[in-house]
C-alpha cells in the first residue's frame, strides 16, 4: 500500500512559551516509516528546535499516551495511526513523565481541573511517574504459560541492600494426590512477611504459600535449612515458585489479556500490574557475577561480564504509585482539546518539580 | 597425559569415574566410645570390646581388627569367647544373647552374627527369674550355663541356643542337696559366679550373692563341696589345679578356700582385707594366679578404703611382697589377665594385665620388674585431652619419619618393651622393610597378637597431627590400619602456667599407703583453655612446624634431634593497627616464660608470634622455602619472616561495624544467657496462659481440663514453628573480617610475564586479598627484608565465607607444595600457560584468570543444592586400572555431611556420597582430607572414622583368624611345653609347619601385589561391611 497519511503534530512545550503550543502537520510513509532517529530529526526540524532534547509520545488507540523513543515503539506508533497519529513532544528537562501511561490522556481532564482549581491541587498532590524504562523491576510473575494454573512463579529483584527481602519460611505439610491416594508430604511454606519488605511490597507472595521451587530447583526432599541457604544464595535474583494459599486469584487467568501492562483482572491486587516474561532459564541471569576486583590498590572495578546500565539506576525516580489518586476525578470523555491540555500539562509539570524531589526520599519502589 | 574432562554423560568419562572414585568407610581409629564389656580369648589371642551402642570390636595382632554391630542398639554387657573356637557370645542389656563367629571367606575372616536368643522362663515367672547375671561357656563348646537373678542356672545348647529346660539347676535343687546346718540360711539370691573346674568339665562352681559357693557335679546332680562366707559374694577365682578357691566380697575382703570333697569348710583357709582395717569398698573381681616361682599373683579390682580412696578406680597387683594399686583416671569397665593359654599347663604364669577403662585400654607388663605399662599399637586414646584440630600430611619422607620416631621413642621410655618375646613376623615385602623395622622398634612386643594381617604394607608414610585442648600436638602414624602415637609435642613449656611442668605422673612417694600408681594417658582436665591448639601446619621436607592456639599464639618450631635450651623469641603482631576505639573483652594473652627454656629432642619452638588482640587463630600457612609464616584471626592477618624473625606486614580485615569480633567471645556468652532467659520467660508465659485457660469445674472435669490444656499447649507449639529468615547477606554481618584461609603461591599476580611469590587470604565476608611478595634470594636472605605489597582485592558479591584458595598452573594442576619440586617429588609447575585462581566460598566454586582477575567458571553449589562447603581440599585420584594415571580434583565436604568430588578445572561435580549425618556437627567440623582422596572425621570424641574416595588408596583391615591356626598353636604348645616364651612364638614357629609355609607364601603374594602399586584390596564378600569398619561394599 502506497498511501500517505496525515499525522497530527504534537504539541511542543518549549520553555519559553509557558502556555503556548505549536501544532504541525506532516505526512509519513506508513509502509516505510524509517528509523526513529530520522523521525526525531524530522520533528526537530519541523519544530525548529534542532538542539533541544525532547521526549516524544503518541496517543494509541486506547487514548493512552505512550512514548516513542526507539525504532520498535516508533514502528508500533506508525502502524496504529488510524489514519491520524497524534504525537506529543515535550522538552526533556521539563518533561512530565507522569503524562505517559495508561489512561493518561483521559486523566488529563483531571489535570485540567487541578489547574483550574489550584487549592484542590495543593491538597492532593498528583503523582509523577517516570518513563517505564527508567524503572527497575522489583518483582514479576513469570512463566505463566508453562506453569499449572495453581502455581505462581515469582521473581524478586534485589538491588543493593536498601530493602530487605523480608520473608520467613517454615516447615509444614501439604496434601498431595499420589497413586496411593491423598498423602501428607512435608513442604516448605512462607510463614511471615516483614512489613515494608520486598516480598510484602510485591503482593505476589503471602503467608502460607507453599514454596515448590527455588530458581528452578525443586525443594521437595530438602530441609528447611537447605532451602534457606538456597534462597539466600540466590537472593540477588530469587525466583520462587509457590502454590498460593489463596487460589482465588489464579484460576481466572483465562480472562486476562496477556502482555499489556495494567490490564490485570486480578481483583484483589489492583495496584500491581504484572509483567509477563515469555521464557525463563535460571542460568540466564548472572546478576551475581559482578564481583568487585581492586587491582593494585586502584579504583574498584566490576568484573566486566554483564555490566548493568547503572546510569539508569542513578537517574531513577522513585515514586509511589497510587491508583486512587491517579483515578481521582476521572471524567470519561472523548472530547479532548489538545491545546489547553498541552499547556495544562506544562503548568502541571512546572509546579510539580519540587514535590518530586520530596517523594524521592520516601524511597518506595514502584512495582511494574 | 590423557584427560577425559568432557562435560555431559560421556560413557568413557563415566567408566573412568568408576576407575577413579569409590566411597568406603574403611576403619575406625582410636578408642571405642563408651565401652561396656571386655572379652579375651586366650587361644585366639584376640581381645573383644563391646560398647553401649551395641558394637563389638575385636583386636588381635596389629592390623587384625573386626567390627560388628548388634541390630538392637543395646549396650553389650558381657562378651565370652567359646574356648578354643572362633566364636563368641555377647549378652546385651536387654537380656538377649548373641552368637558371633569369625568365618573365613575368600581368604579373609569376617565377623558375623549367627544366632540370637532370649531366655524365657516358665509362664508366670518373674522377669528376674530369667535375668542373666553370669554366662559360662562350657569347655565342650556345646553348652552355655546362664546364672540368673533368681538363683537358677539355666543350660542352653549351642550353636542353636536350644534351652535344656530339664537340666536347669534351680536354687531349690541346690538347697535340698545341702546339709541341714546350711539350709536354714537364705544363702542364695542371684548367681554371682559360675566357673568350670579347670580340669574336670563335670564340675562347675556356682557362687550366690549371699555368700554361698557350691561345687556342683553335673552328671551326678549333687553338691560336691560348699563354702559359706559371712559376706556378700562378688566374684570367685578357681586356681588352675582346682585345689583352691578364692572368693572376693563386698566388704573389701577376699577368702581362700581349699577344695576337698570330704571335709566340710566352715571357715576359710585365710581371709584378708588388703586395704583394711577401715571400711573398704567391694573387691569386684579377683585373679589368683600361680607362677613357677611359687608365689602367686593376686590381682583384684576395688577394695580401696572407702573414706579416703573410695572414689579411685584401682586394680591392685600383689606378688612376692610387692603391691601396687594401679590408679586409673576413668572408671574401670573390666579387666583380664593374660596367662598361659594351654589348659594342660600346670601354672598360670601371668604375663600381662589388660584393663579396659572407660576412656582407654591399659596393658601392664607383669613380667618386667616394676610392672611397666605396654604401649598399645591400637585403641589409642585420641581424646586423652580433647581434640581441637587435626592436620594430615601425606607421604612423609623417610628421613623426617625416622627423626620423629626417634624423638618419640625417647618419650616412651616408661613403656615396657616386653623383651624376651618372640620377634614379629617378617615384613611381607623388602621395600617396606625399613619402615617396618622402625615400626617394630616403636611397637615393641604386643601380647595380644592373634590373627594374621593380610593387608599389604602401607605404600607411603602418612602423619595425622591432632591438636589438643591442653596445648599438645600428637603425631600419629596414619599409614595403616593401626593409628599409633609416634610423638607428642607440648607447647605448654613456652608459657607460664599454674602447674609446674616438671611434675610427672610417675612421681609418687614410696612409703605411701595404699601404694597407688597412676597409669594411662587419659587426662581431660586442661590447665588453661587458652593453650588449646587451633591450627597446625607441618612442612614435611624441612621439618618446620607452625602451631597456633586459642589465645592468638603462633609458634614456629624446628625439628632438632638434640635436647636444647634456648629462649623463644617473642614478637607481637598488632592486627588492629591504627583502628581506634576498639576494646577486646575476650581472654588475655598467655604469658610467655622469660629466659631460656629446656626443650627435649623433637620439635623445638624458636619464635612466638603473639596476635593482638589475642583472639583465636583461625588460619595458618607456612612456606618453608621462603621461610614465611602467615596467620589470621577474626581481626586480620599477618606475615612473619621466621628467618629474619621480623614481621613483614599485618592487614586489618575488620569491618567498622563488626562489634562482635572486637568484644571477643565473652559477649557471645552474654547473648546466649540473654536468649536463655528469654526462652524461659516464654515458657513461663505459656504455662501461665495455659493455666488461665484451664476451666474451674467439678473434680470430675479436671482430667478433661488438663487434657485440654495440653492440647492448647500443643497448638501453641504448632503456632510457633521453626522458621528461617530469608535475607540477603549484607556487608554488615558480623565476623566478616574473620580470616578463613591463607595460601602461598608462586604465580602471575601482576603481569603475565613475571611470576612472583604471593600470599592470598580469604575472609568470612567473601573478600580475597592478594599480596605480592618479594623474597630476597637465598644468598642475601638475611640481609634484605621481605617486602609485601597488596596487589589485588576481590569482593565476591555473594559474600559467602571463603574457605579455600588454590592456584592452578598452566596444565590446570594445583601448584606443588613448597620444596616439593626441590626434592624431586613433584613435577615443576607449568609456568608457560596461564595460571588460574580457584576461590572456594561456602556457596560457590569460582575460577578466575590470572594475572587479570576475571571470572571464567563457577559452580553455584548452594544455589543449586542448598548445601554449603565445609571443607575443601585438592586431591590426586589415582586410577585402579592404569598404573600412572591420575587426576587432580577437589574433595568437598558439605554442611549436610555429603562428600563430593568436583573436577578441576572445569568444576563439574563428579560423584557424591553421603558420609556423615547432617546432625553430627562435630563430625563434620573435624573432617580432614588427605592428598590422595582419603579422609578422617571424628565419630565420637575418641574415634576417627577413616574413609576413602579413591579406588586406589584404601586402608582397611584384611585379616585372617583361623581355628586351624588355633589347633596348630596348641599343638605347638604341647611340643614346647609350658615354656611361655616359645608359646608366644606363634609366628616364627608356625613357619616350620606346612600350613604356615603356605600362609607365608600367601602373604608374600599379597604383599607382592601390594608392591606393584595396586594395593586396593578387592572387596570379597557381601556382609563385609558388617565385619570390618562398617564400610559399604
Amino acid at each position: 500500500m502506497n498511501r500517505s497519511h496525515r499525522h497530527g503534530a504534537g504539541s511542543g512545550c518549549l520553555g519559553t512559551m509557558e502556555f503556548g503550543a505549536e501544532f504541525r502537520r506532516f505526512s509519513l510513509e506508513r509502509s516505510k516509516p524509517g528509523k526513529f532517529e530520522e523521525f526525531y530529526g524530522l520533528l526537530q526540524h519541523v519544530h525548529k528546535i534542532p538542539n533541544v532534547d525532547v521526549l516524544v509520545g503518541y496517543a494509541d488507540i486506547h487514548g493512552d499516551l505512550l512514548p516513542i523513543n526507539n525504532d520498535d515503539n516508533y514502528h508500533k506508533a506508525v502502524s496504529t495511526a488510524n489514519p491520524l497519529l497524534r504525537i506529543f513532544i515535550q522538552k526533556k528537562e521539563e518533561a512530565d513523565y507522569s503524562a505517559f501511561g495508561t489512561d493518561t490522556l483521559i486523566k488529563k481532564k483531571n489535570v485540567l481541573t487541578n489547574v483550574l482549581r489550584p487549592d484542590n491541587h495543593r491538597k492532593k498532590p498528583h503523582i509523577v511517574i517516570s518513563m517505564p524504562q527508567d524503572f527497575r523491576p522489583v518483582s514479576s510473575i513469570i512463566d505463566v504459560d508453562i506453569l499449572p494454573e495453581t502455581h505462581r512463579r515469582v521473581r524478586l529483584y534485589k538491588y543493593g541492600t536498601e530493602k530487605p527481602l523480608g520473608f520467613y519460611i517454615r516447615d509444614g505439610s501439604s496434601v498431595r494426590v499420589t497413586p496411593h491416594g491423598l498423602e501428607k508430604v512435608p513442604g516448605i511454606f512462607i510463614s511471615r512477611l516483614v512489613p515494608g519488605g520486598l516480598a510484602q511490597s510485591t503482593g505476589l507472595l503471602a503467608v502460607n504459600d507453599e514454596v515448590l521451587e527455588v530458581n528452578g530447583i525443586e525443594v521437595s526432599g530438602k530441609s528447611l535449612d537447605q532451602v534457606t541457604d538456597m534462597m539466600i544464595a540466590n537472593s540477588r535474583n530469587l525466583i520462587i515458585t509457590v502454590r498460593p494459599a489463596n487460589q482465588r486469584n489464579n484460576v481466572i487467568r483465562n480472562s486476562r489479556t496477556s502482555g499489556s501492562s495494567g490490564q490485570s483482572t486480578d481483583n484483589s491486587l489492583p495496584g500491581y500490574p504484572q509483567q509477563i516474561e515469555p521464557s525463563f532459564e535460571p542460568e540466564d541471569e548472572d546478576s551475581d557475577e559482578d564481583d568487585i576486583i581492586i587491582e593494585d590498590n586502584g579504583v574498584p572495578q566490576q568484573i566486566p561480564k554483564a555490566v548493568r546500565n547503572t546510569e539508569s539506576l542513578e537517574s531513577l525516580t522513585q515514586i509511589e504509585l497510587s491508583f486512587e489518586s491517579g483515578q481521582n476525578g476521572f471524567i470519561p470523555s472523548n472530547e479532548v482539546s489538545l491545546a489547553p491540555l498541552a499547556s495544562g500539562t506544562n503548568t502541571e509539570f512546572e509546579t510539580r518539580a519540587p514535590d518530586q524531589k520530596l517523594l524521592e526520599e520516601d524511597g518506595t519502589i514502584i512495582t511494574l | 597425559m590423557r584427560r577425559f574432562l568432557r562435560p555431559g554423560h560421556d560413557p568413557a568419562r563415566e567408566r573412568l569415574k568408576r576407575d577413579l572414585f569409590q566411597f568406603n568407610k574403611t576403619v575406625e581409629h582410636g578408642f571405642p566410645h563408651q565401652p561396656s564389656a571386655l572379652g579375651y580369648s586366650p587361644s585366639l589371642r584376640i581381645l573383644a570390646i563391646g560398647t553401649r551402642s551395641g558394637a563389638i570390636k575385636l583386636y588381635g595382632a596389629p592390623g587384625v581388627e573386626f567390627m560388628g554391630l548388634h541390630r538392637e542398639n543395646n549396650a553389650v554387657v558381657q562378651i565370652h569367647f567359646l574356648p578354643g573356637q572362633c566364636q563368641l557370645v555377647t549378652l546385651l542389656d536387654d537380656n538377649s544373647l548373641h552368637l558371633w563367629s569369625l568365618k573365613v571367606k575368600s581368604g579373609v575372616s569376617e565377623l558375623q552374627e549367627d544366632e540370637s536368643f532370649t531366655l524365657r522362663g516358665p509362664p508366670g515367672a518373674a522377669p528376674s527369674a530369667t535375668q542373666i547375671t553370669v554366662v559360662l561357656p562350657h569347655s565342650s563348646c556345646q553348652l552355655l550355663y546362664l546364672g540368673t537373678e533368681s538363683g537358677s542356672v539355666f543350660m542352653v545348647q549351642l550353636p542353636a541356643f536350644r534351652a535344656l529346660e530339664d537340666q536347669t539347676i534351680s536354687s531349690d535343687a541346690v538347697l535340698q542337696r545341702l546339709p541341714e546346718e546350711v539350709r536354714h540360711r537364705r544363702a542364695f539370691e542371684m548367681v554371682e559366679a559360675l566357673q568350670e573346674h579347670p580340669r574336670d568339665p563335670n564340675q562347675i562352681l556356682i557362687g550366690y550373692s549371699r555368700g554361698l559357693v557350691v561345687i556342683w557335679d553335673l552328671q551326678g546332680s549333687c553338691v560336691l563341696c560348699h563354702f559359706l562366707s559371712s559376706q556378700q559374694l562378688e566374684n570367685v577365682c578357681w586356681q588352675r589345679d582346682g585345689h583352691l578357691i578364692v572368693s572376693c566380697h563386698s566388704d573389701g575382703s577376699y577368702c581362700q578356700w581349699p577344695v576337698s570333697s570330704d571335709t566340710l569348710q566352715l571357715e576359710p583357709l585365710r581371709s584378708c582385707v588388703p586395704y583394711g582395717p577401715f571400711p573398704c569398698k567391694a573387691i569386684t573381681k579377683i585373679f589368683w594366679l600361680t607362677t613357677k616361682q611359687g608365689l602367686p599373683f593376686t590381682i583384684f579390682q576395688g577394695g580401696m578404703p572407702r573414706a579416703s580412696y573410695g572414689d579411685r578406680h584401682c586394680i591392685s597387683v600383689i606378688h612376692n611382697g610387692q603391691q601396687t594399686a594401679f590408679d586409673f583416671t576413668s572408671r574401670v569397665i573390666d579387666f583380664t589377665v593374660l596367662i598361659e593359654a594351654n589348659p594342660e599347663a600346670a601354672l598360670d604364669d601371668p604375663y600381662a594385665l589388660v584393663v579396659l577403662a572407660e576412656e582407654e585400654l591399659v596393658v601392664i607388663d607383669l613380667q618386667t620388674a616394676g610392672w611397666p605399662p605396654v604401649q598399645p599399637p591400637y585403641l589409642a586414646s585420641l581424646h586423652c585431652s580433647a581434640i581441637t584440630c587435626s592436620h594430615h600430611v601425606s607421604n612423609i619422607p623417610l628421613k623426617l619419619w625416622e627423626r620423629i620416631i626417634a624423638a618419640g621413642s625417647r618419650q616412651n621410655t616408661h613403656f615396657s618393651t616386653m623383651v624376651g618375646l618372640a620377634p614379629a613376623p617378617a615384613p611381607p615385602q623388602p621395600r617396606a622393610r625399613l619402615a617396618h623395622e622402625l615400626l617394630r622398634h616403636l611397637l615393641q612386643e604386643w601380647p595380644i597378637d592373634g590373627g594374621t594381617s593380610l593387608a599389604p604394607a602401607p605404600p607411603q608414610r602418612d602423619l595425622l597431627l591432632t591438636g589438643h585442648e591442653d596445648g599438645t600436638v600428637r603425631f600419629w602414624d596414619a599409614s595403616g590400619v593401626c593409628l599409633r602415637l609416634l610423638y607428642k609435642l607440648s607447647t605448654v613449656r613456652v608459657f607460664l602456667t599454674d602447674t609446674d611442668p616438671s611434675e610427672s605422673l610417675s612421681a609418687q612417694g614410696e612409703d605411701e599407703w595404699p601404694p597407688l600408681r597412676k597409669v594411662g594417658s587419659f587426662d581431660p582436665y586442661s590447665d588453661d583453655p587458652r593453650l588449646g591448639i587451633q591450627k597446625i601446619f607441618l612442612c614435611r621436607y624441612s621439618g618446620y612446624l607452625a602451631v597456633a592456639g586459642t589465645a592468638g599464639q603462633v609458634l614456629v618450631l624446628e625439628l632438632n634431634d638434640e635436647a636444647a635450651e634456648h629462649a623463644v623469641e617473642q614478637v607481637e603482631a598488632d592486627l588492629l593497627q591504627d583502628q581506634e576505639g576498639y576494646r577486646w573483652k575476650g581472654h588475655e594473652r598467655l604469658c610467655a616464660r622469660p629466659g631460656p627454656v629446656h626443650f627435649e629432642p623433637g620439635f623445638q619452638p624458636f619464635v612466638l608470634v603473639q596476635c593482638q588482640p589475642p583472639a583465636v587463630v583461625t588460619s595458618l600457612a607456612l612456606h618453608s622455602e621462603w621461610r614465611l609464616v602467615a596467620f589470621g584471626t577474626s581481626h586480620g592477618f599477618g606475615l612473619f619472616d621466621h628467618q629474619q624473625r621480623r614481621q613483614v606486614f599485618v592487614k586489618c580485615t575488620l569491618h567498622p561495624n563488626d562489634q562482635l569480633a572486637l568484644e571477643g567471645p565473652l559477649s557471645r556468652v552474654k547473648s546466649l544467657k540473654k536468649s536463655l532467659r528469654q526462652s524461659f520467660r516464654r515458657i513461663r508465659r505459656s504455662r501461665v496462659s495455659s493455666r488461665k485457660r484451664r476451666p474451674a469445674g467439678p473434680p470430675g472435669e479436671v482430667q478433661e481440663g488438663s487434657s485440654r490444656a495440653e492440647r492448647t499447649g500443643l497448638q501453641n507449639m504448632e503456632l510457633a514453628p521453626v522458621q528461617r529468615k530469608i535475607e540477603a547477606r549484607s556487608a554488615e554481618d558480623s565476623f566478616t573480617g574473620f580470616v578463613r584461609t591463607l595460601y602461598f603461591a608462586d604465580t602471575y599476580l601482576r603481569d603475565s610475564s613475571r611470576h612472583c611469590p604471593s600470599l592470598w587470604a580469604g575472609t568470612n565476608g567473601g573478600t580475597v586479598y592478594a599480596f605480592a611478595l618479594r623474597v630476597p634470594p637465598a644468598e642475601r636472605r638475611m640481609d634484605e627484608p621481605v617486602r609485601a605489597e597488596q596487589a589485588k582485592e576481590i569482593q565476591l558479591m555473594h559474600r559467602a565465607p571463603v574457605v579455600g584458595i588454590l592456584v592452578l598452573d598452566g596444565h590446570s594442576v594445583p601448584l606443588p607444595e613448597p620444596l616439593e619440586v626441590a626434592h624431586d617429588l613433584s613435577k615443576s609447575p607449568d609456568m608457560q600457560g596461564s595460571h588460574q585462581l580457584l576461590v572456594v566460598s561456602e556457596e560457590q566454586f569460582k575460577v578466575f584468570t590470572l594475572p587479570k582477575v576475571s571470572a571464567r567458571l563457577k559452580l553455584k553449589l548452594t544455589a543449586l543444592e542448598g548445601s554449603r562447603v565445609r571443607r575443601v581440599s585438592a586431591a590426586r585420584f589415582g586410577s585402579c586400572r592404569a598404573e600412572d594415571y591420575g587426576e587432580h580434583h577437589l574433595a568437598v565436604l558439605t554442611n549436610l555431611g555429603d562428600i563430593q568430588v568436583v573436577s578441576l578445572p572445569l568444576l563439574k561435580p563428579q560423584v557424591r556420597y553421603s558420609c556423615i549425618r547432617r546432625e553430627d556437627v562435630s563430625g563434620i567440623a573435624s573432617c580432614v582430607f588427605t592428598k590422595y582422596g582419603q579422609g578422617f572425621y571424628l565419630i565420637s570424641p575418641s574415634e576417627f572414622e577413616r574413609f576413602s574416595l579413591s579406588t586406589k588408596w584404601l586402608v582397611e583391615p584384611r585379616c585372617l583368624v583361623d581355628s586351624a591356626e588355633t589347633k596348630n598353636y596348641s599343638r605347638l604348645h604341647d611340643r614346647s611345653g609350658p615354656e611361655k616364651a616359645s608359646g608366644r612364638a606363634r609366628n616364627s614357629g608356625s613357619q616350620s609347619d606346612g600350613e604356615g609355609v603356605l600362609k607365608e607364601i600367601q602373604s608374600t603374594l599379597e604383599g607382592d601385589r601390594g608392591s606393584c602399586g595396586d594395593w586396593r584390596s578387592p572387596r570379597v564378600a557381601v556382609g563385609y561391611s558388617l565385619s570390618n569398619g562398617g564400610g559399604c561394599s
Side-chain angles (χ1 to χ4, degrees), chain B residues 850-867:
Chain B
L850 282 177
K852 173 125 185 66
V853 176
S854 61
R856 282 200 56 201
L857 278 171
K858 67 162 187 288
L859 170 65
K860 290 157 77 168
L861 185 76
T862 308
L864 295 174
E865 291 178 6
S867 54

Side-chain angles (χ1 to χ4, degrees), chain A residues 191 225 291 294-296, chain B residues 723-724 791-793 795 846:
Chain A
S191 62
D225 288 328
D291 299 332
I294 304 173
E295 302 263 356
D296 292 357
Chain B
Q723 41 176 18
R724 295 278 184 277
K792 286 184 197 323
E793 184 178 330
Q795 174 62 58
K846 274 189 145 165

